[in-house]
Amino acid sequence: MKELKKEDISQEVFDLYDDYAHNKMDRKEFLQKLSLYAVGAITLPALLSFISPNYLDSISVKSNDPRLKSEFITYDSPKGGKKIKGLFSILKDTTKKLPGIIVVHENRGLNPYIEDVGRRTALEGFVTLAPDALSPLGGYPGNDDDGRAMQKKRDRNEMLEDFIAAYNYLKTHKDCNGKVGVVGFCFGGWISNMMAVKIPDLAAAVPYYGRQPSQENVVKIKAPLLLQYAGLDKRVNAGWSDFEIALKENNIEHEAHFYANVNHGFHNNTTPRFDKEAAELSWERTITFFNKHLKG
């Protein structure tokens, strides 16, 4: 069987997967449409396997990395007395309080990719907390399809409150110096934008391909923003023009980067939407930004 490569796949397949991943169609419709691209040596199972996340071979910082103390904790969230589970990570050899970063998952719960991002960020000298918004429903179920279905059952504004509670938990943690930022991806990008709206003393926010807040909410933002967008992401990028105008009109510190010819999810190294060059450059910018605003 031919080994599939990214260049073998048409852009329409990535767009189709994006629609499916963002609940624009159910799995049956997705597979029916995907089958149209299974031609010649490319079978439907091979195509489906290729575009699905591969967590087993993609983790860059293992859960037992000897440089880190990385463990699951729980914290209280205000809606209904919920307990939220999150992955807490910090350098083992640190002797001082560190700035904190909340790491916010996509629309499928705290999967291995986001856990990995939490650990990567901790290795840069931050104390990190990566919450699982699926905690009230039992937590991330072990696969993204079920995770998406579960997350659809939760109200997004209640989940926002869960992440704000994570900020409050980390800000007052004994290992944190009180400066806390947020980085989030997709749904987590929207959460990052909204945390900037809702938290006056948020130190910095880095939304990756996240939906923008309404114009009336932009005026409330105090935190500096680093906005990361995928050049091919028409769905999210459609909101940029109005957002940019509002940011400038309200003199909100921000910088935006559009990475040409890459798809929504380009930072996620577990799927073929991953773009190594854009992911590495955007992450370098992210860490530099956090160093400036949380350590400077």
Side-chain angles (χ1 to χ4, degrees):
M1 182 183 296
K2 177 184 178 181
E3 181 181 351
L4 290 182
K5 298 180 180 179
K6 194 172 183 178
E7 53 267 27
D8 296 327
I9 309 300
S10 71
Q11 181 58 39
E12 286 82 2
V13 170
F14 291 107
D15 294 341
L16 183 64
Y17 180 79
D18 188 76
D19 285 345
Y20 170 61
H22 295 91
N23 302 311
K24 300 290 182 64
M25 66 184 73
D26 61 22
R27 186 171 179 81
K28 181 179 179 181
E29 182 183 0
F30 169 61
L31 292 177
Q32 286 175 340
K33 292 185 175 181
L34 186 64
S35 67
L36 300 177
Y37 298 92
V39 294
I42 302 177
T43 67
L44 179 59
L47 191 55
L48 181 61
S49 175
F50 181 73
I51 64 174
S52 298
N54 176 5
Y55 295 130
L56 184 63
D57 301 317
S58 305
I59 301 303
S60 59
V61 182
K62 304 299 183 185
S63 60
N64 61 350
D65 190 294
R67 297 169 292 179
L68 292 173
K69 175 185 176 183
S70 190
E71 61 186 4
F72 289 102
I73 57 91
T74 60
Y75 63 91
D76 294 323
S77 193
K79 297 292 183 180
K82 298 189 301 290
K83 290 284 188 180
I84 303 297
K85 176 183 174 181
L87 181 67
F88 179 91
S89 302
I90 189 171
L91 288 168
K92 273 185 178 178
D93 62 359
T94 186
T95 58
K96 60 182 180 180
K97 292 177 180 289
L98 299 175
I101 296 177
I102 303 299
V103 180
V104 189
H105 59 69
E106 306 145 307
N107 66 336
R108 59 213 69 172
L110 182 58
N111 60 25
Y113 156 61
I114 297 297
E115 291 182 12
D116 188 32
V117 174
R119 293 189 293 266
R120 289 185 223 170
T121 311
L123 286 178
E124 298 289 345
F126 301 94
V127 53
T128 68
L129 178 59
D132 187 358
L134 300 187
S135 297
L137 303 177
Y140 176 70
N143 70 84
D144 284 9
D145 283 346
D146 290 341
R148 276 191 294 269
M150 289 172 66
Q151 193 157 320
K152 284 174 66 178
K153 297 177 182 178
R154 293 215 59 202
D155 179 84
R156 71 174 188 168
N157 289 306
E158 286 196 4
M159 289 188 281
L160 173 58
E161 293 300 323
D162 295 338
F163 287 102
I164 292 173
Y167 167 87
N168 292 327
Y169 173 91
L170 193 57
K171 183 178 175 65
T172 57
H173 193 278
K174 65 179 180 62
D175 294 320
C176 182
N177 68 4
K179 285 188 175 183
V180 177
V182 60
V183 60
F185 306 85
C186 184
F187 162 80
W190 177 79
I191 289 288
S192 300
N193 278 322
M194 292 306 298
M195 286 176 67
V197 169
K198 295 280 190 176
I199 304 173
D201 57 353
L202 185 71
V206 183
Y208 272 76
Y209 24 86
R211 291 277 189 179
Q212 300 84 4
S214 63
Q215 286 187 291
E216 59 266 28
N217 274 328
V218 174
V219 68
K220 302 174 185 177
I221 295 175
K222 306 298 182 187
L225 306 177
L226 173 61
L227 304 152
Q228 312 271 30
Y229 291 108
L232 298 176
D233 190 2
K234 296 178 181 178
R235 178 177 53 85
V236 170
N237 295 353
W240 166 244
S241 180
D242 288 343
F243 189 31
E244 182 183 29
I245 290 170
L247 289 170
K248 289 180 177 178
E249 286 180 343
N250 291 284
N251 297 312
I252 294 165
E253 182 180 351
H254 69 281
E255 59 180 281
H257 298 282
F258 288 77
Y259 300 87
N261 301 314
V262 301
N263 284 286
H264 180 101
F266 69 82
H267 183 269
N268 186 334
N269 64 315
T270 72
T271 82
R273 296 188 296 173
F274 172 64
D275 186 275
K276 186 175 187 294
E277 182 178 350
E280 289 180 352
L281 176 57
S282 71
W283 195 245
E284 179 184 327
R285 286 169 168 163
T286 294
I287 297 304
T288 298
F289 187 78
F290 281 138
N291 283 336
K292 174 183 176 182
H293 292 288
L294 274 65
K295 294 180 180 179

